[in-house]
CSV table of all heavy atoms in Angstrom, one decimal:
chain,number,residue,atom,x,y,z
H,883,PRO,N,13.5,11.4,7.1
H,883,PRO,CA,14.4,11.7,6.0
H,883,PRO,C,14.7,10.4,5.2
H,883,PRO,O,14.4,9.4,5.6
H,883,PRO,CB,15.7,12.1,6.8
H,883,PRO,CG,15.7,11.4,8.1
H,883,PRO,CD,14.2,11.2,8.4
H,887,THR,N,20.6,5.4,-2.6
H,887,THR,CA,22.0,5.1,-3.1
H,887,THR,C,22.0,4.1,-4.2
H,887,THR,O,21.3,3.1,-4.1
H,887,THR,CB,22.9,4.6,-1.9
H,887,THR,OG1,22.8,5.6,-0.9
H,887,THR,CG2,24.3,4.5,-2.3
H,896,TRP,N,18.2,17.9,1.4
H,896,TRP,CA,18.8,19.2,1.3
H,896,TRP,C,19.2,19.7,2.8
H,896,TRP,O,18.5,19.4,3.7
H,896,TRP,CB,17.9,20.3,0.7
H,896,TRP,CG,17.8,20.2,-0.8
H,896,TRP,CD1,16.8,19.7,-1.5
H,896,TRP,CD2,18.8,20.7,-1.7
H,896,TRP,NE1,17.1,19.7,-2.9
H,896,TRP,CE2,18.3,20.3,-3.0
H,896,TRP,CE3,20.0,21.3,-1.6
H,896,TRP,CZ2,19.0,20.6,-4.2
H,896,TRP,CZ3,20.7,21.6,-2.8
H,896,TRP,CH2,20.3,21.3,-4.0
H,962,LEU,N,9.8,14.3,-6.4
H,962,LEU,CA,8.5,13.5,-6.6
H,962,LEU,C,7.4,14.3,-5.9
H,962,LEU,O,7.6,14.6,-4.8
H,962,LEU,CB,8.7,12.1,-6.1
H,962,LEU,CG,7.5,11.2,-6.2
H,962,LEU,CD1,7.9,9.8,-6.5
H,962,LEU,CD2,6.6,11.2,-5.0
H,968,GLY,N,-5.0,7.5,-4.7
H,968,GLY,CA,-6.1,6.8,-5.4
H,968,GLY,C,-5.7,6.3,-6.7
H,968,GLY,O,-5.9,5.1,-7.0
H,972,ALA,N,2.2,9.8,-9.4
H,972,ALA,CA,3.0,11.0,-9.0
H,972,ALA,C,3.8,11.5,-10.1
H,972,ALA,O,3.9,10.9,-11.2
H,972,ALA,CB,3.9,10.6,-7.8
H,977,LEU,N,16.8,18.4,-12.2
H,977,LEU,CA,17.7,19.4,-12.8
H,977,LEU,C,19.1,19.0,-12.3
H,977,LEU,O,19.3,18.4,-11.3
H,977,LEU,CB,17.3,20.8,-12.4
H,977,LEU,CG,17.3,21.1,-10.9
H,977,LEU,CD1,18.7,21.6,-10.4
H,977,LEU,CD2,16.3,22.2,-10.6
H,981,GLY,N,27.8,22.7,-14.6
H,981,GLY,CA,29.1,22.0,-14.7
H,981,GLY,C,29.2,20.5,-14.5
H,981,GLY,O,30.2,19.9,-14.6
H,1001,ASN,N,8.7,0.6,-6.2
H,1001,ASN,CA,8.9,-0.6,-5.3
H,1001,ASN,C,8.6,-0.3,-3.9
H,1001,ASN,O,8.1,-1.2,-3.1
H,1001,ASN,CB,10.4,-1.1,-5.5
H,1001,ASN,CG,10.6,-1.5,-6.9
H,1001,ASN,OD1,9.7,-1.9,-7.6
H,1001,ASN,ND2,11.8,-1.3,-7.3
H,1002,SER,N,8.9,0.9,-3.3
H,1002,SER,CA,8.7,1.1,-1.9
H,1002,SER,C,7.5,1.9,-1.7
H,1002,SER,O,6.9,1.8,-0.6
H,1002,SER,CB,9.9,1.9,-1.4
H,1002,SER,OG,11.1,1.1,-1.5
H,1027,GLY,N,13.4,5.0,-19.6
H,1027,GLY,CA,12.3,4.2,-19.9
H,1027,GLY,C,10.9,4.8,-19.9
H,1027,GLY,O,9.9,4.1,-19.8
Side-chain angles (χ1 to χ4, degrees):
T887 305
W896 283 102
L962 180 142
L977 59 88
N1001 300 327
S1002 299

